[in-house]
Amino acid sequence: MKRALVITYYWPPAGGSGVQRWVKFAKYLPENGWQPVIYTPENPDLALKDRTLEEEIPECAEIIRRPIFEPYGIYRKIFGKGQAGQGEVNPINGQEKSLKQKISMFIRGNLFIPDPRCLWVRPSVRFLKKYLREHPVDIIVSTGPPHSMHLIARKLARATGLPWIADFRDPWTKMFYFKHLQLSAWAERKHMDLEKKVLDDASVIVAVSPLVQEDFQGMTDTPVELITNGFDESDFEQVVESDGYFNIVHTGLFASDGNPDVLWKVLSEKCSSDAEFSKMLRIRLAGKTDREITGSIVSSGLDGNLNDLGYQTHQVAVREQKGASLLILPLRKEPEYRAVLPGKLFEYLASGRPILGIGQTDGAMARIINETGAGAVFAWDDEAGIAGYVDRCWKDFSNGALEPNTDNIGQYSRRALARRMAGLMESLSTGKFARSGPDKKQY
C-alpha cells in the first residue's frame, strides 16, 4: 500500500462538510491502495470538535500530532474574549466593528501571514524532514485553509522532491473575507506572493468549485483539477420518521452576513395569513448560529416557531437534514461567494429534501442545484420567488407529496470522490499524470 502524507489543521473537525473532507478521504483511500499519514496539531485552537468522526478513521491510518503555538490565547486575554467558540461565526466580514475588533483584525492580517498558524511552519518542516527520512511516503498533500499548511508542504516538497497536491477547500486572496482583513499594501503583496509560489510550485492544485478552478487556472500554469466536496452514503442510512411538522432546517454555521431577512418576512406574512401553516411551521437551526440570525427571526414574530438546537454532532445534523420539509442554504452577502460551494450542499443533496438556495443565481451553488433538480435558488431580494417556492413545498407537504429526490448525485459520493483523489495521487506518484481537459472536469 502506498503512503500519502496529509498536512491538515482540522483533525478531527466539527462543523461543515468541507472541513470533514479529509476525514472522509482517509476513510476511503485505503480501499484504493493508499495509507493516509495525517500530520496535524495536537492542541489546535478549535471552536468545536466532533469526536464521533474519529470512529470513521481506518485502523491503518497513521496520525502524527505535534504541538502548535497560536496567538489566540494571548489575543483573548488582551481583548477580554472568552474561550474558543464564543463570539461570531465568522468575525471577519464587512459588518461594523468595534475599535478592539478593528485592532485585532489589523494585527491578525498584518503580523500573521498568511494566518495565525504560520508559527507552525518552520518547526513542522524541521520535524517532517527527519520523519520522512525514516518513514518514506509517496506523495505530499496539503489542505487549506489555513494556508500555512500549504507553506509547510511547499518547503517539504522542495526539500524532498516528492510530488505535492495543494488541496484548496476555499480560495486564498479571492476569498470573500480577504478584503476585510485591513491589510497594509505590504501585507497584501506578501499574501499574493505566497499564493503565487504555492500555485506555481505544487505538482497539482485541487479546487472544490469549478469557478475557483477557473480562477486558479488563470493565475498559474500548474494544472488545476476539480474534486468537489461530497456526502458519505453511510451517513444517510439512518431512518428518520417524520414528526408531522413542516420543518424548515438549516445545519452547520449560520453567519450574520448570510441572514436571509426576506425569508423571515415571507414566513411571517404566511403565518399571519394561514393559521394552519403557523401551527405547523418549525424553523430548526442545528449548528452554531449568530445572534443576529435568531434576533431577526424573533423580531419577525417567529419566536414561537423557532427551535435553535445549537451545535450538534454530524450524526444529529444528518438526522435533521433527513427530517426536513425544506432545507435552506443562504450564501454570504459577498460577491466573491458566487464561486463558493458550501460543503453542506452535498449533504443536503443526499437527504433528498427540497433545497431553497438564496444568493447569486448564476453561481456555483445554483449550477449544481439546477442541474440535479434538487431545489431552486433565488436572489436575496426576490421575495416573490422565495414566497412561491415556500408555498409549493408547503402544498406538497400538506398533500403528502414531498418525495425524496436523490437522482443525479452519485458523482458527489465520498467513495467516488476518494477514487478520484486516489487516481490523481497514483498518476502523480508514478509520473503518469495527464492533465484533464475542459471536457473531462468532474462537473
Side-chain angles (χ1 to χ4, degrees), residues 2-272:
K2 291 187 174 181
R3 287 161 48 88
L5 174 65
V6 181
I7 302 169
T8 178
Y9 181 79
Y10 295 101
W11 195 276
S17 173
V19 293
Q20 296 165 18
R21 176 176 175 85
W22 274 94
V23 168
K24 298 297 186 177
F25 277 143
K27 177 180 178 179
Y28 291 114
L29 281 174
E31 65 187 45
N32 293 281
W34 283 87
Q35 178 194 14
V37 179
I38 308 299
Y39 179 75
T40 191
E42 69 177 20
N43 56 323
D45 193 277
L46 292 179
L48 303 166
K49 295 181 182 179
D50 186 351
R51 293 295 183 184
T52 64
L53 291 168
E54 290 184 319
E55 300 170 5
E56 303 188 30
I57 300 168
E59 290 185 4
C60 71
E62 180 180 347
I63 314 298
I64 306 169
R65 300 183 188 274
R66 295 284 294 172
I68 184 173
F69 172 76
E70 300 179 77
Y72 287 116
I74 299 172
Y75 160 75
R76 280 193 288 270
K77 287 181 180 179
I78 294 174
F79 291 101
K81 297 292 183 179
Q83 297 299 312
Q86 297 180 353
E88 297 171 87
V89 168
N90 180 11
I92 308 175
N93 55 43
Q95 295 178 304
E96 188 62 32
K97 302 295 179 188
S98 67
L99 178 60
K100 284 185 177 180
Q101 288 173 316
K102 290 178 180 178
I103 293 172
S104 69
M105 271 201 292
F106 181 86
I107 293 172
R108 182 250 188 254
N110 292 277
L111 298 187
F112 302 101
I113 300 175
D115 49 65
R117 285 85 185 195
C118 60
L119 300 176
W120 202 46
V121 174
R122 184 172 294 177
S124 293
V125 173
R126 185 167 57 246
F127 169 81
L128 288 171
K129 284 167 68 174
K130 182 176 184 298
Y131 170 85
L132 291 179
R133 285 195 295 269
E134 301 169 359
H135 309 278
V137 300
D138 299 276
I139 198 165
I140 299 168
V141 181
S142 55
T143 180
H147 299 301
S148 289
M149 305 303 105
H150 298 311
L151 301 188
I152 296 170
R154 177 176 178 264
K155 289 179 178 292
L156 204 58
R158 289 166 66 89
T160 63
L162 286 166
W164 161 38
I165 297 173
D167 178 56
F168 282 85
R169 300 188 315 277
D170 286 312
W172 189 329
T173 59
K174 292 190 177 182
M175 188 59 176
F176 72 93
Y177 57 70
F178 185 77
K179 62 180 179 290
H180 301 308
L181 285 173
Q182 301 189 32
L183 299 175
S184 65
W186 173 86
E188 185 170 351
R189 286 195 302 271
K190 182 67 173 176
H191 272 279
M192 292 182 174
D193 178 60
L194 289 175
E195 178 185 42
K196 180 65 171 167
K197 286 178 177 176
V198 167
L199 294 178
D200 287 348
D201 290 352
S203 305
V204 172
I205 305 297
V206 172
V208 300
S209 157
L211 298 183
V212 174
Q213 179 191 27
E214 292 170 11
D215 283 343
F216 277 150
Q217 199 61 85
M219 299 165 64
T220 184
D221 291 329
T222 303
V224 183
E225 298 293 303
L226 175 65
I227 302 180
T228 67
N229 288 313
F231 63 90
D232 191 339
E233 292 163 310
S234 66
D235 291 339
F236 289 84
E237 293 172 350
Q238 57 180 301
V239 177
V240 179
E241 300 291 341
S242 172
D243 63 3
Y245 288 101
F246 184 70
N247 292 311
I248 294 182
V249 173
H250 182 278
T251 63
L253 302 179
F254 205 165
S256 58
D257 55 352
N259 187 15
D261 310 79
V262 172
L263 173 61
W264 312 139
K265 179 175 184 288
V266 164
L267 295 177
S268 177
E269 292 177 352
K270 189 164 181 62
C271 283
S272 298

Side-chain angles (χ1 to χ4, degrees), residues 34 50 116 120 149 196 228 284 290 310 358 367 385 394 413 426-427:
W34 283 87
D50 186 351
W120 202 46
M149 305 303 105
K196 180 65 171 167
T228 67
R284 298 179 64 84
D290 274 341
I358 302 175
R367 197 182 301 182
W394 167 244
S413 78
E426 181 68 24
S427 65

